[in-house]
């Protein structure tokens, strides 16, 4: 933001002041990343779904996502979505080193970026196709390579924690003040401490009567997620339970490899399950739409529903557009889902 303000937008500083131009720069960056993320999701959908129409519908729904007020504001959601979608696309193309670098940037951008490193492990050593024609010594080498790729992926997150510890504990800004309890904890994570200390984030801490309105705000996304996971799991529970190594004999392979029920969605479904569990048990549940803005399976399932019939299409698009519009009003007045 500051670089853009001091270069391309510098002439505007004399007119509106540096703070206003910084805000403009932030909006430009967020919206540029939003557009890039939509295009990358479309490309990723073509690789994963092998269905151009479904990939196109999903990218359109992403543009009208329930979290779109955050995607256009000066937030990190758009940048994060673009980085993780790009990393997934590189993994689909077997460009693992580039993907690890993108995931490194994503984990620096947002802490939940570390969860996406699992895609590298899946693609290099877990999926069934990675083992075909390989000796065990080759798989050991691939496992070591996967560990290295994951290490690179989480460097952004680790680097930020080191920076925070150094700033607040080793070289505190206010040396005369006592050190916070955060400095005594190992591993010391800035974000984890702030969430627990000031936001009261923790396992089942949000399950109070006063938070019922926030659970109602999150309910549509929770229901959509449960329905999507169930739809995929019910189609072939054997495949889901065996990490894709086995399939129900009655299913045709050709059908399994395309659209929302395809084999390529397996790692995306596992991530969806993990994030849904975290969102509903540990974090402030009303921000689930923001968290899921970087989960491709959400938009692929929504596109799967929207392509069925007119009634279902109206419900899905109504929720996406309606929640997004209401969210703009609520967010601008400092109400949830902020």
């Amino acid at each position: 933001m500051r670089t853009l303000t001091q270069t391309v937008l510098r002439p505007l500083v004399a007119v509106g002041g540096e703070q206003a131009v910084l805000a403009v720069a932030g909006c430009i960056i967020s919206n540029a990343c939003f557009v890039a993320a939509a295009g990358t999701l479309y490309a990723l959908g073509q690789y994963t779904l092998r269905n151009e129409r479904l990939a196109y519908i999903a990218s359109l729904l992403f543009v009208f996502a329930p979290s779109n007020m955050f995607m256009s504001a000066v937030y990190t959601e758009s940048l994060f979505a673009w980085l993780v979608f790009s990393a997934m696309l590189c993994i689909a193309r077997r460009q693992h080193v580039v993907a690890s670098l993108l995931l490194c940037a994503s984990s620096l951008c947002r802490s939940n970026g570390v969860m996406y490193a699992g895609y590298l492990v899946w693609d290099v050593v877990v999926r069934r196709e990675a083992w075909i024609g390989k000796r065990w010594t080759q798989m050991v080498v691939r496992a070591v390579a996967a560990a290295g790729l994951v290490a690179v992926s989480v460097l952004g997150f680790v680097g930020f924690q080191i920076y925070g510890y150094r700033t607040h504990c080793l070289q505190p800004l206010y040396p005369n003040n006592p050190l916070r309890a955060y400095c005594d904890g190992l591993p010391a994570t800035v974000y984890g401490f702030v969430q627990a200390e000031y936001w009261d984030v923790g396992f089942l801490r949000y399950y109070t009567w006063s938070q019922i309105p926030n659970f109602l705000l999150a309910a549509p996304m929770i229901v959509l997620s449960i329905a999507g996971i169930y739809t995929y799991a019910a189609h072939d529970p054997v495949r889901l339970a065996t990490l894709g190594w086995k399939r129900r004999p009655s299913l045709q392979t050709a059908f399994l490899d395309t659209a929302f029920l395809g084999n390529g969605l397996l790692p995306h479904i596992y991530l969806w399950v993990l994030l849904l569990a975290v969102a509903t048990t540990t974090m402030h549940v009303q921000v689930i739409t923001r968290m899921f803005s970087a989960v491709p399976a959400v938009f692929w399932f929504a596109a799967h529903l929207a392509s069925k019939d007119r009634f279902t299409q109206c419900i899905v698009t109504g929720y996406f557009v309606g929640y997004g519009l209401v969210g703009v009003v609520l967010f601008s007045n400092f109400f949830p889902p902020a």
Side-chain angles (χ1 to χ4, degrees), residues 148-188:
L149 292 169
V150 170
V152 172
S153 300
V154 302
L155 275 179
F157 173 78
V158 173
F160 185 77
Q161 305 313 313
I162 293 173
Y163 168 78
Y165 188 81
R166 180 179 178 182
T167 302
H168 298 289
C169 302
L170 300 182
Q171 298 175 356
L173 297 174
Y174 305 100
N176 295 327
N177 293 344
L179 296 177
R180 302 300 304 274
Y182 150 75
C183 297
D184 296 328
L186 288 176

Side-chain angles (χ1 to χ4, degrees), residues 44-55:
L44 177 64
Q46 288 182 302
Y47 260 89
T48 306
L49 302 173
R50 301 185 185 183
N51 186 310
E52 194 276 338
R53 182 173 179 270
L54 212 61

